[in-house]
Amino acid sequence: MIVFRTDGNPQIGSGHIMRCLSLADAFRNVGQAPVFITADDCFRAVIQKRGYECVVLHTEYDRMEDELPALLPVLQRLHPRWVLLDSYYVTPRYMSAVKREVPLIYIDDLNAFDYPADLVVNYTLYGDKLGYPPTKHYLLGPQYVMLRKEFQGVPKRRTAEQVRNVLISTGGSDPEHVALGCVRHLKEYPSNSITYHVILGAMNQDADEIKRIAAGCPPVVLRQNVSDMRSLMLQCDAAISAAGTTLFELCACGLPTVTYVLADNQIRNAASFEEAGLMLNAGDVRENGRFAAHIFERLELLIQDQPLRQRMANRMQTLVDGCGAARLAQEILTFIGG
């Protein structure tokens, strides 16, 4: 058995949970039986709907050392072969305490300290540049990005001459109110030729205001509870997205994108995608009072340059084939001995 210890909530969004679910699915496909442990019950229903047991500790997600008295007895009861940990709030003491009970795998993108883990996974574009200590085992690079199975086998994109549909993705919780800013901008500067598909995250605190504005703004189509993200991405000609794991989904679909930063851990990710010629980076929305206008200024560069969009699409789909979760599951099973 593998145990996933991860969290999701309105403060930190859904990214950690969703990528762990993708990896859990890959393990299930090869006969493993993952179990999830979370601090609270924000995503328990989502996890259970995917067919996994979810143990809720009823602790604070950002005070992980305090949860050890609750976590360690659960690990002793479940007796897993190993634990996969995915959280930015880990500490050396916490990781060491877990590792004393069971072998430990850590999902990383920061190299914040010398992790006391048996295996470290980093699927970012810059993982091999972080200077990890050579005494550990690592799986590095976007070939290990944990995407849902639907992003495998996506056909090569041929970009349209004109942009007719734009996807706007701001994450599950959107703490910096980017979706609201975007629909306000589109209300003030409506487009007669482009439809904007705004994904309204389940924990978006601005949902009521966004719906009110969208009702009087024909270019805006709100998308909730999207069950087929691949089809929506393939329907669109360009995208706006926060610099999280969604960028790799967009790469699998070859969808030219303007990305932006809404958290410190996204700064290097957004920069690396732009440096590789994969996307345009609109910068940190927390530092720009007119961030929506700036995002749409960058989007206009994509709209007006079809050859640029095609070059981006080619590079994106060369980088990501959608098979990272299955590949990572197999590498982990090989590492731990079957």
Side-chain angles (χ1 to χ4, degrees), residues 165-171 174 178-184 186 195-201 204 206-207 210-211 213-214 217 219-226 229 232 236 240 260 296:
N165 293 278
V166 173
L167 179 70
I168 300 179
S169 172
T170 62
D174 192 16
V178 176
L180 179 59
C182 286
V183 296
R184 282 175 172 168
L186 291 169
T195 299
Y196 292 87
H197 302 263
V198 180
I199 299 176
L200 193 55
N204 193 306
D206 304 315
I210 290 170
K211 290 175 182 178
I213 296 172
C217 187
V220 173
V221 175
L222 297 184
R223 302 281 190 168
Q224 292 182 273
N225 303 314
V226 178
M229 189 61 71
L232 181 56
C236 292
I240 295 167
Y260 63 87
F296 282 95

Side-chain angles (χ1 to χ4, degrees), residues 118-132:
D118 298 281
L119 176 67
V120 176
V121 179
N122 184 329
Y123 59 70
T124 66
L125 274 64
Y126 55 84
D128 60 350
K129 301 178 178 65
L130 288 179
Y132 285 110

Side-chain angles (χ1 to χ4, degrees), residues 32-62:
Q32 301 296 312
V35 173
F36 280 73
I37 300 176
T38 60
D40 55 51
D41 61 2
C42 287
F43 275 87
R44 177 165 55 183
V46 173
I47 293 167
Q48 291 175 335
K49 187 175 180 179
R50 288 281 277 271
Y52 301 108
E53 179 184 352
C54 180
V55 178
V56 177
L57 299 176
H58 301 290
T59 55
E60 299 295 327
Y61 75 94
D62 55 352

Side-chain angles (χ1 to χ4, degrees), residues 167 169 238-242 247 250 255-260 279-283 294-302 312:
L167 179 70
S169 172
I240 295 167
S241 175
L247 297 192
L250 293 161
L255 185 55
T257 298
V258 174
T259 187
Y260 63 87
M279 298 180 181
L280 299 182
N281 180 11
H294 182 59
I295 286 172
F296 282 95
E297 287 168 4
R298 299 292 282 170
L299 179 66
E300 188 65 23
L301 298 177
L302 287 184
M312 283 185 170

